[in-house]
Amino acid sequence: MQTIDHDRLYTDLQYRFDYVSQFVGFSKRDQELIQLSGTVVGGLVPTIVDAVYDKLSNYDLTWNHFAQEQEGLQLKQDEASKQANQVTMGSEVITFRKTMLTKYLKKLVTAEWNLSYLKYLDWVGHIHTTTPLKKSTINVEYIHINALFGYVAAVVVGTLQKCDEWDEEVRDDIVNAYNKFFWVQNDLFARYYVKDRVLSEKEVRAVEAEERAKEDVIRKQLRSESLTNAAVGFAAGTILGAIGFRYLGSK
């Protein structure tokens, strides 16, 4: 029987990730399998992103969140006025959010699994909640987050199950790896919603300091990636979208 430090689960990100990963069986091999799947999933990213936002647009409660101030997005005055009245699929805010989801999915199949990437996964959970450390006011209730995770998992897994790039055993292992990953990522959202434990003042200060440092690093990385990706985005999007059509159709 392993001895788990209860308090560290709430103050040490790496320790929490290691515990949850070991519990669900998310291993180094699973991480390698997700990277292996990048040859297919990378090409499906535009189609997956479109499917996600089509789903979000089906419900007023999920779509209305995009009328709020968005972390990392500064709208032009005329666009901000339009957004206050109505958000459409062609709005600047939706283009921005699609870009962020695209980066997330591409990172998933290319990034090294180190502390820097783990902090990024944790930041993705953090920015969807309202905390004193955030500049934006967006707060997506957990019921919608959980439902969206289920949908994204179904889209990705359903697509992988149709692929013939690998033999059946490897394909099943890849599908299983993604299933476990989504539960691990879900925990990094839930930690900002579920109050299992009240932190001491000292622990709160330590966590806040870590969050500030983490967000500064991630924002710099995203700005750098935006500059790099802008030069090749249009051509790559066209090619990847065509590949995605093969698997998901023109929905």
Side-chain angles (χ1 to χ4, degrees):
M1 178 181 293
Q2 296 185 49
T3 299
I4 303 299
D5 187 329
H6 175 269
D7 291 348
R8 281 188 69 187
L9 292 175
Y10 299 92
T11 58
D12 187 327
L13 176 60
Q14 183 70 62
Y15 191 79
R16 183 184 183 108
F17 171 79
D18 290 343
Y19 167 73
V20 175
S21 294
Q22 290 174 15
F23 201 109
V24 303
F26 185 64
S27 64
K28 179 68 174 178
R29 174 58 177 162
D30 291 313
Q31 296 167 10
E32 293 171 350
L33 286 167
I34 288 176
Q35 289 184 329
L36 175 64
S37 74
T39 55
V40 171
V41 175
L44 296 172
V45 166
T47 308
I48 293 172
V49 170
D50 285 344
V52 167
Y53 279 85
D54 283 344
K55 174 62 70 172
L56 291 170
S57 70
N58 288 339
Y59 307 96
D60 58 351
L61 284 178
T62 54
W63 199 245
N64 288 342
H65 284 293
F66 299 116
Q68 302 176 30
E69 179 185 358
Q70 303 290 308
E71 180 81 10
L73 174 64
Q74 292 184 345
L75 294 173
K76 299 176 182 178
Q77 189 61 40
D78 58 339
E79 183 68 20
S81 178
K82 292 178 184 178
Q83 180 175 320
N85 297 319
Q86 182 179 13
V87 176
T88 67
M89 199 64 74
S91 296
E92 183 181 350
V93 64
I94 300 302
T95 300
F96 172 76
R97 297 314 312 178
K98 283 187 173 184
T99 299
M100 297 299 287
L101 179 56
T102 296
K103 289 180 178 180
Y104 171 83
L105 293 171
K106 288 183 177 180
K107 276 180 176 288
L108 174 59
V109 296
T110 59
E112 292 185 28
W113 285 81
N114 51 30
L115 182 58
S116 176
Y117 181 55
L118 178 55
K119 288 181 177 180
Y120 168 76
L121 294 177
D122 185 64
W123 173 80
V124 171
H126 184 216
I127 61 172
H128 288 82
T129 59
T130 297
T131 74
L133 299 178
K134 283 181 52 181
K135 296 180 180 179
S136 71
T137 57
I138 187 172
N139 180 38
V140 183
E141 295 165 322
Y142 185 69
I143 184 174
H144 310 306
I145 293 292
N146 190 52
L148 185 59
F149 264 120
Y151 179 74
V152 173
V155 170
V156 174
V157 168
T159 301
L160 290 171
Q161 288 176 329
K162 299 175 184 177
C163 293
D164 55 8
E165 274 74 6
W166 316 287
D167 61 44
E168 184 176 353
E169 182 178 356
V170 172
R171 184 176 63 245
D172 288 347
D173 287 344
I174 290 174
V175 167
N176 197 27
Y178 271 93
N179 275 326
K180 288 183 282 188
F181 164 76
F182 283 122
W183 280 106
V184 173
Q185 175 68 94
N186 198 4
D187 175 68
L188 297 179
F189 274 78
R191 73 187 295 241
Y192 292 104
Y193 291 92
V194 180
K195 305 301 180 184
D196 289 331
R197 175 182 177 276
V198 178
L199 301 180
S200 68
E201 291 185 7
K202 181 179 179 180
E203 289 171 336
V204 169
R205 288 195 296 270
V207 171
E208 288 180 346
E210 180 183 352
E211 290 294 335
R212 291 190 185 95
K214 175 182 65 182
E215 292 194 6
D216 287 343
V217 170
I218 291 172
R219 287 193 182 101
K220 290 178 181 178
Q221 290 176 343
L222 291 176
R223 283 196 295 269
S224 176
E225 290 172 1
S226 295
L227 293 174
T228 301
N229 292 338
V232 296
F234 178 78
T238 302
I239 295 171
L240 295 179
I243 296 173
F245 182 85
R246 171 188 172 190
Y247 292 101
L248 293 183
S250 56
K251 178 181 177 181

